[in-house]
Amino acid sequence: MIPTYNVEKDAEAYAQKFVQDLPDGSTERIGKARQYTSKYLDSMSSEVIFSIPLLKDFTYNELKGQNLALGLDLKGGLSVVLQVNMKDLVHEMSGTTKDPTFLEALDKANVALKSSQSDFVTLFVDEFGKIANGKKLARTFIGRNSKIRDEITADASDGDVARILRDKTKGVVNLTFNRLKQRIDKLGVSQPNVTLDAARDIILVELPGVDNAERAKNFLQASAQLEFWDVYNMNEPGVAASFQQADQILKNKFAASDEVVIRYDTTYTYTRDTSGNVVDSVQQINELGPDPLANQGPLLSVLRLNPAIQTATVGVANKNQRAIIDSLLSYDEVKSLFKPDGKFLWAADPNVDPTTRLPTSDYQLYYIKKAPGGGEKPKMEGDVVTSASQSPDPLTGQVQVTLGMNSKGVAAWAQMTTEAAAANNRQIAIALDNEVVSAPTVNGPITQGRTAISGNFTIAEATDLASILEVGKLPAKVDIVQSNTVGPSLGKQNIERSFKSLMFGLLVVLLFMVAYYGGGGLVSIIALIANMFFIFGALASIGTVMTIPGFAGIVLTIGMAVDANVIIFERIREELRSGKSMLASVQDGFKNSYSAIIDANVTTILVAIVLAYFGLGPIKGFAVVLIIGVLSSLFTAVLLGKLMIDYWTQSKGNNISFWTGWSKSVFANLNIDWIGKRKIAYAISGTIIVLGLASIFTRGFDLGVDFTGGYSYNVQFEENADVSAQTIREALTAPFGGEPVVKSVDVANTYQIVTSYMMDADDDASEQVMAKLHEGVNSLVGGGLSLADFQNTDNVDLTHITSTSKVGPTIADDIANDSLYAGIFALLAIFLYILIRFNKWQFSLGAVAALFHDSLIVLGLFSIFWGRIPGLALEIDQVFIGALLTVIGYSINDTVVVFDRIREYLGIYTNKSTDEVLNMAINSTFSRTIVTSLTTLFVVLILFLFGGGNIKGFAFAMIVGVLVGTYSSIFVATPIVRDFSNELRGRRKEETKKHFSKAIEDA
């Protein structure tokens, strides 16, 4: 890691030489610095930067690939959750049927998917069955255009069709996942993370270090459906006349009514006011302007026909008019005027002004020609492309994408260009995702199977397009249901804070262990340092991405790693106090500790496994870190620790201390009647829980965007900006059409803004929401803040976005349900484990009751204190759920140690009463409970004080959890076992009767 870090520092220094004259913080300087940094690293990619003599030389790329990858919150970048659009996929498999029952079932299933845990195919088949009136689903899928007609018979049941659809869609999801991985490999991102959650048809993509989030999103979502079309020119017989006739028909149609219904995404009803202008019931529609019925009809008033008849462009229209023109051309009486094999497509890019060379707002409309007998298909598709690369046009210097084709493509392209050249040098339209990106004129046959796509491409756009085309189009459309963008400056700040937390937490624990355990503490220090090496090595080797929650897991592991040492050392201290020799105390201390250590750590691992299964992204990473940390801690504390102590005491014949002067008698000979005070504890716990429940049912929670869905932005305002949460709310209410949630973040002049604006839009509306956010923020800072500067996450001198997040309603519902399932399964797993280990359901009941107690108190305090502690965002989000489950794991860890001692003492002290045995067990483990709680509390408190704002809620939950978990092990779990155990009560009665009889005999 150090050699690669040194190379990267050299790369940054190299880049700064070329940008010294540019303004600090400017977009140009940042962009050029990254360009030169990347260039330097590319030149070093195959250079040897580290060598192990006589073994191996390592290049920069080899070492970089083995480094521990940093997540977005530590490095900056983009994370998205992509969901395959199952509605479009199933519709495509049907051959894009127009059956209204089928389409209605698709729509209803898509709505149900947002709040259901069932898969889309199941929902679709159920909805179809409700409205089909006995019609079988197989009838649709045996149609001529069906993609799966060969696998379905006419008599197949709906269940059979569902099974086939499910198998087919799963295959498409897997193929989409693999194609995306291939694309990302070409994107050139260092250490990307791409994972598939097959159960939910979602793909998680993490791209650390990406500086252009929108470009990356487009790169991931582009379906890359490349098509080559013949075209109709304006001089074709009947083309121009068809437009004129259509305009007249529409004019007459609308003249017969005072209402003009424009049919597109949203249905609008237009009426004419007394002045003859077209208006709707709310506002003036400027797109249509004056009443189109006065002169031209509604079509030609918005579409300007192309006077150049020898061209594939039939007309030009303003950007805002395109949806209206599509609507007008969709009327059946209009479509019948045009050629049955014709189809209209818009240009992908606007026209360019020939004088200024700047884009205008006008777009060209093309009239393309479908392949004979091919339905909606073109003559050629992108599946014939074998290679693609960007290069400048040798004549114009314009950036273009050059394509190479396979043998099938060579033949088809030769035939297509031959026919076009013979037809007076006709154009061929090259379309990408149903938009024409290029329409070259063919001057002669092209027989080598190579062509070029030219357009208004930047180098980056052409490079992306070439990469996408070379990999191939995605087999299914993917939608972004969750996204998160973190700026590199925020990432750098987070990693500094996280590293400080890790170092301070480690230092405090090490000092405490030496101060309390003396020589034994030194052993625990060596074991703990070795533990850190093992954890980081394991995480790097399995490719885990380190995030802030992951760092929290390591910090927490530091606190919990000493638990095994503490259990062993406390047991050795007990043996020494009983008069045993050092060697005997060490041997018995280790032997008698194994049961408690195993039980404590297995329960923690069970909770972590549940977290890993149900969590997404950072939470899954946190769980993996926790699992590795617990396993590594067991190895270092039990095996490595014993080896070191045995070497020092047996091989060297030396003594080793397990206490210091002040700690020798701490908690020794403790004799407190804990069980006798249980009713007081019940009253205290009951009061806190009732207050918490009252707050939960009245105030509720500060639900984060993970559970509500919506767009979330962290905006850092200029240092001298006079803003507050209230002024931001007021400025954004009008643009968003409602008041957003605005909260202060612990970083100076930084606010989190959450809105549900346009969350119900069918397509990703991130750009529109960002534009509205910029509009409101710009008004607050006096205007003059460009959208580009506002979105520049490195622009520290101006008001700017530091991070963004989007959670769609579907994924928000999944997160909420998964969180509930995670809690239920964690409690169930613990209940069963305790039942198996202790063979009494009463122990399981006591443990689970204590966990419910701890969870209710943590939830209640989050409800009571949210919004009442300045700078502390007590959100209920994925990170909080991770904290709550960690509290459960920590609490049960503590509880099973007490239970283990109870089980041991019940077999030893048969002549004592049950309450005496329970009190003895608690008293004898009290020192271990306090020491473990203190070490964990030390590191969590440091995490709370020094960690980033987005981890403070986690740390607060853990602080409460450690305190409450320690309390509940003593005052809830054990008393409940005592009060609900008939066996223990029976045993107590027998003992009382025996003592009473003996007293009578003595008397």
Side-chain angles (χ1 to χ4, degrees):
M1 193 168 182
I2 294 175
T4 56
Y5 174 79
N6 290 335
V7 172
E8 286 156 10
K9 293 297 289 183
D10 291 342
E12 291 177 7
Y14 170 81
Q16 290 304 315
K17 297 177 183 177
F18 297 92
V19 297
Q20 292 176 352
D21 297 334
L22 298 174
D24 288 340
S26 67
T27 303
E28 185 181 6
R29 176 166 183 156
I30 294 167
K32 283 197 173 183
R34 284 180 180 152
Q35 181 182 350
Y36 282 108
T37 300
S38 177
K39 185 177 179 181
Y40 184 93
L41 293 177
D42 284 344
S43 68
M44 292 293 294
S45 60
S46 58
E47 295 292 323
V48 174
I49 62 171
F50 181 73
S51 296
I52 300 178
L54 304 178
L55 288 179
K56 182 174 173 56
D57 294 333
F58 292 91
T59 66
Y60 171 79
N61 275 355
E62 287 174 332
L63 281 183
K64 189 64 179 176
Q66 296 174 16
N67 279 356
L68 181 61
L70 298 180
L72 309 182
D73 43 12
L74 296 175
K75 190 176 181 180
L78 171 70
S79 168
V80 294
V81 175
L82 300 165
Q83 186 170 46
V84 173
N85 191 313
M86 302 301 287
K87 175 185 172 183
D88 287 356
L89 180 56
V90 172
H91 188 211
E92 184 181 352
M93 286 184 174
S94 72
T96 61
T97 179
K98 296 182 180 178
D99 177 12
T101 305
F102 189 96
L103 297 178
E104 183 181 350
L106 282 178
D107 289 336
K108 288 186 174 181
N110 207 41
V111 173
L113 186 65
K114 295 179 180 180
S115 57
S116 173
Q117 293 301 295
S118 296
D119 64 274
F120 181 86
V121 172
T122 299
L123 295 172
F124 165 67
V125 174
D126 289 345
E127 293 294 340
F128 185 85
K130 293 175 185 177
I131 61 178
N133 294 323
K135 183 170 63 175
K136 297 181 70 174
L137 191 57
R139 288 178 53 187
T140 302
F141 286 101
I142 60 174
R144 182 168 59 89
N145 294 323
S146 170
K147 300 291 180 66
I148 55 175
R149 59 178 299 186
D150 295 335
E151 301 181 47
I152 294 180
T153 59
D155 59 348
S157 66
D158 285 359
D160 292 334
V161 175
R163 177 181 53 79
I164 294 170
L165 280 177
R166 200 172 287 113
D167 290 342
K168 287 294 182 183
T169 54
K170 289 296 180 187
V172 172
V173 170
N174 286 326
L175 181 57
T176 303
F177 168 66
N178 290 326
R179 286 277 173 85
L180 277 172
K181 285 206 299 183
Q182 291 174 323
R183 280 193 186 182
I184 291 166
D185 287 342
K186 290 182 173 293
L187 190 58
V189 176
S190 175
Q191 296 177 297
N193 180 37
V194 189
T195 54
L196 170 66
D197 187 337
R200 289 178 281 192
D201 300 322
I202 61 176
I203 301 167
L204 173 65
V205 179
E206 292 180 326
L207 304 175
V210 166
D211 57 341
N212 190 330
E214 289 307 313
R215 175 191 167 196
K217 287 180 185 178
N218 293 334
F219 185 86
L220 292 173
Q221 283 188 287
S223 65
Q225 182 178 338
L226 185 66
E227 298 169 331
F228 300 83
W229 299 89
D230 279 333
V231 298
Y232 281 113
N233 291 336
M234 282 295 286
N235 64 346
E236 299 282 349
V239 173
S242 295
F243 280 102
Q244 299 290 346
Q245 293 173 37
D247 192 50
Q248 188 61 42
I249 288 175
L250 291 169
K251 180 177 181 179
N252 295 335
K253 179 182 179 68
F254 296 153
S257 171
D258 284 335
E259 291 188 337
V260 180
V261 180
I262 302 295
R263 301 178 303 181
Y264 52 106
D265 291 345
T266 303
T267 300
Y268 293 98
T269 301
Y270 297 96
T271 60
R272 286 175 288 150
D273 62 15
T274 54
S275 302
N277 293 326
V278 178
V279 298
D280 69 2
S281 58
V282 179
Q283 62 182 350
Q284 177 73 37
I285 303 300
N286 294 323
E287 287 85 358
L288 288 178
D291 184 357
L293 309 183
N295 298 303
Q296 291 178 309
L299 178 61
L300 296 186
S301 65
V302 290
L303 175 65
R304 305 188 302 278
L305 294 182
N306 194 339
I309 60 175
Q310 188 64 28
T311 177
T313 303
V314 294
V316 178
N318 185 275
K319 175 182 180 181
N320 298 328
Q321 313 282 6
R322 291 178 299 173
I324 294 175
I325 293 170
D326 290 340
S327 303
L328 295 173
L329 292 173
S330 68
Y331 283 97
D332 291 337
E333 54 266 55
V334 172
K335 289 196 294 185
S336 65
L337 298 173
F338 293 93
K339 298 181 183 295
D341 61 348
K343 180 179 178 179
F344 293 105
L345 289 181
W346 289 100
D349 296 311
N351 290 346
V352 175
D353 188 297
T355 304
T356 64
R357 305 304 300 167
L358 295 175
T360 67
S361 59
D362 288 339
Y363 283 74
Q364 297 181 4
L365 180 66
Y366 291 85
Y367 190 22
I368 64 172
K369 185 179 182 180
K370 304 172 189 175
E376 295 290 322
K377 287 188 176 181
K379 278 198 170 180
M380 281 178 55
E381 293 185 278
D383 56 355
V384 301
V385 174
T386 57
S387 64
S389 59
Q390 68 85 14
S391 60
D393 186 311
L395 298 178
T396 65
Q398 188 179 29
V399 178
Q400 62 182 13
V401 177
T402 304
L403 306 177
M405 304 176 185
N406 59 22
S407 57
K408 177 183 173 183
V410 170
W413 187 235
Q415 180 184 354
M416 196 172 182
T417 53
T418 298
E419 293 173 354
N424 299 319
N425 306 116
R426 187 192 298 275
Q427 291 174 279
I428 290 177
I430 302 176
L432 184 68
D433 296 337
N434 284 319
E435 292 182 329
V436 177
V437 293
S438 183
T441 299
V442 180
N443 298 317
I446 303 174
T447 58
Q448 297 82 23
R450 296 193 67 80
T451 189
I453 304 174
S454 59
N456 297 319
F457 299 131
T458 64
I459 293 178
E461 290 170 342
T463 301
D464 288 350
L465 177 57
S467 299
I468 290 171
L469 293 178
E470 194 166 34
V471 170
K473 72 177 182 180
L474 294 182
K477 179 184 176 184
V478 290
D479 299 322
I480 294 178
V481 293
Q482 181 180 355
S483 66
N484 185 26
T485 306
V486 179
S489 58
L490 181 60
K492 183 178 180 181
Q493 185 182 72
N494 285 336
I495 195 170
E496 288 175 353
R497 287 185 169 196
S498 301
F499 187 75
K500 286 180 181 178
S501 301
L502 182 63
M503 290 298 101
F504 284 158
L506 183 62
L507 180 62
V508 170
V509 170
L510 296 184
L511 291 175
F512 177 81
M513 291 298 287
V514 173
Y516 194 85
Y517 289 111
L522 290 174
V523 171
S524 69
I525 287 177
I526 298 172
L528 196 56
I529 293 174
N531 189 26
M532 291 297 99
F533 278 103
F534 288 141
I535 290 175
F536 281 111
L539 292 176
S541 64
I542 65 175
T544 301
V545 178
M546 180 57 62
T547 62
I548 288 180
F551 254 109
I554 291 178
V555 173
L556 184 62
T557 300
I558 292 173
M560 297 178 70
V562 301
D563 182 52
N565 287 119
V566 171
I567 291 175
I568 294 168
F569 293 169
E570 288 298 321
R571 196 64 191 242
I572 292 174
R573 283 157 63 113
E574 287 182 42
E575 304 295 344
L576 287 170
R577 291 192 188 104
S578 68
K580 292 184 180 180
S581 67
M582 173 62 68
L583 292 179
S585 296
V586 169
Q587 294 302 317
D588 291 346
F590 271 93
K591 182 178 68 176
N592 294 328
S593 300
Y594 292 148
S595 176
I597 291 172
I598 291 171
D599 288 338
N601 286 279
V602 167
T603 49
T604 303
I605 289 176
L606 286 174
V607 174
I609 289 173
V610 171
L611 261 179
Y613 181 80
F614 287 101
L616 281 174
I619 297 304
K620 189 184 290 286
F622 168 78
V624 171
V625 170
L626 196 58
I627 292 171
I628 292 174
V630 170
L631 294 175
S632 177
S633 300
L634 279 172
F635 172 77
T636 53
V638 176
L639 179 59
L640 185 61
K642 191 171 190 307
L643 287 174
M644 286 189 289
I645 292 174
D646 286 347
Y647 172 78
W648 187 252
T649 56
Q650 294 181 19
S651 300
K652 293 292 186 180
N654 298 319
N655 278 337
I656 185 172
S657 63
F658 290 94
W659 50 53
T660 58
W662 69 273
S663 68
K664 181 175 183 179
S665 300
V666 173
F667 304 122
N669 303 315
L670 202 63
N671 186 23
I672 299 175
D673 181 15
W674 304 101
I675 299 299
K677 298 176 175 58
R678 70 187 186 283
K679 293 183 180 179
I680 298 174
Y682 287 163
I684 294 172
S685 294
T687 302
I688 296 174
I689 289 173
V690 168
L691 290 174
L693 289 174
S695 178
I696 290 171
F697 288 115
T698 55
R699 295 191 79 219
F701 295 107
D702 181 15
L703 293 177
V705 72
D706 287 348
F707 290 98
T708 60
Y711 293 91
S712 174
Y713 305 89
N714 274 18
V715 179
Q716 185 170 3
F717 288 83
E718 299 170 47
E719 189 175 346
N720 58 351
D722 183 19
V723 294
S724 66
Q726 183 57 36
T727 58
I728 296 171
R729 271 191 291 268
E730 292 171 356
L732 291 172
T733 297
F736 284 149
E739 190 174 273
V741 176
V742 182
K743 290 177 281 191
S744 175
V745 181
D746 66 332
V747 181
N749 246 20
T750 300
Y751 293 85
Q752 182 191 44
I753 300 166
V754 180
T755 178
S756 58
Y757 178 67
M758 293 193 75
M759 275 308 298
D760 294 329
D762 290 336
D763 297 320
D764 184 28
S766 301
E767 291 186 20
Q768 295 94 312
V769 180
M770 178 66 75
K772 292 294 184 181
L773 175 67
H774 169 254
E775 178 186 329
V777 170
N778 198 25
S779 66
L780 272 176
V781 297
L785 177 67
S786 71
L787 180 60
D789 286 336
F790 179 61
Q791 291 181 275
N792 185 355
T793 53
D794 276 340
N795 203 345
V796 294
D797 296 327
L798 298 174
T799 298
H800 67 288
I801 295 277
T802 60
S803 66
T804 69
S805 178
K806 172 203 169 183
V807 180
T810 302
I811 200 73
D813 183 72
D814 283 346
I815 291 170
N817 284 291
D818 286 348
S819 300
L820 177 62
Y821 293 150
I824 293 172
F825 278 106
L827 293 175
L828 181 62
I830 288 170
F831 183 93
L832 292 175
Y833 180 79
I834 298 296
L835 180 63
I836 293 170
R837 284 290 291 162
F838 292 90
N839 202 30
K840 293 287 183 295
W841 66 266
Q842 289 86 355
F843 282 99
S844 294
L845 177 65
V848 172
L851 299 182
F852 266 112
H853 166 275
D854 300 345
S855 301
L856 287 174
I857 288 181
V858 173
L859 286 166
L861 292 179
F862 261 65
S863 176
I864 291 170
F865 289 120
W866 77 266
R868 292 172 174 166
I869 303 179
L872 181 60
L874 298 180
E875 282 188 350
I876 304 296
D877 54 12
Q878 282 195 88
V879 174
F880 170 80
I881 297 302
L884 188 63
L885 289 179
T886 307
V887 166
I888 289 175
Y890 176 85
S891 179
I892 193 63
N893 184 311
D894 203 19
T895 299
V896 296
V897 173
V898 179
F899 282 2
D900 193 80
R901 191 61 65 93
I902 291 172
R903 180 175 56 185
E904 178 185 343
Y905 280 6
L906 283 174
I908 296 175
Y909 300 105
T910 56
N911 62 333
K912 293 183 180 294
S913 70
T914 300
D915 284 6
E916 285 180 299
V917 171
L918 296 180
N919 280 325
M920 286 177 61
I922 296 173
N923 284 320
S924 63
T925 57
F926 188 75
S927 58
R928 174 263 164 202
T929 298
I930 294 300
V931 171
T932 300
S933 298
L934 279 176
T935 54
T936 307
L937 197 60
F938 287 154
V939 290
V940 176
L941 188 60
I942 288 170
L943 192 65
F944 179 76
L945 294 175
F946 297 102
N950 53 353
I951 207 66
K952 284 186 180 292
F954 174 94
F956 180 79
M958 284 302 305
I959 290 171
V960 174
V962 168
L963 296 175
V964 175
T966 303
Y967 163 89
S968 68
S969 299
I970 297 172
F971 287 113
V972 178
T974 304
I976 284 179
V977 172
R978 185 259 188 204
D979 289 339
F980 279 83
S981 178
N982 290 325
E983 180 180 332
L984 289 178
R985 284 201 295 269
R987 180 176 180 274
R988 186 177 62 205
K989 288 177 181 178
E990 286 295 323
E991 290 165 352
T992 304
K993 185 177 180 180
K994 187 191 301 183
H995 289 307
F996 184 69
S997 299
K998 188 175 186 303
I1000 292 177
E1001 290 176 4
D1002 292 342

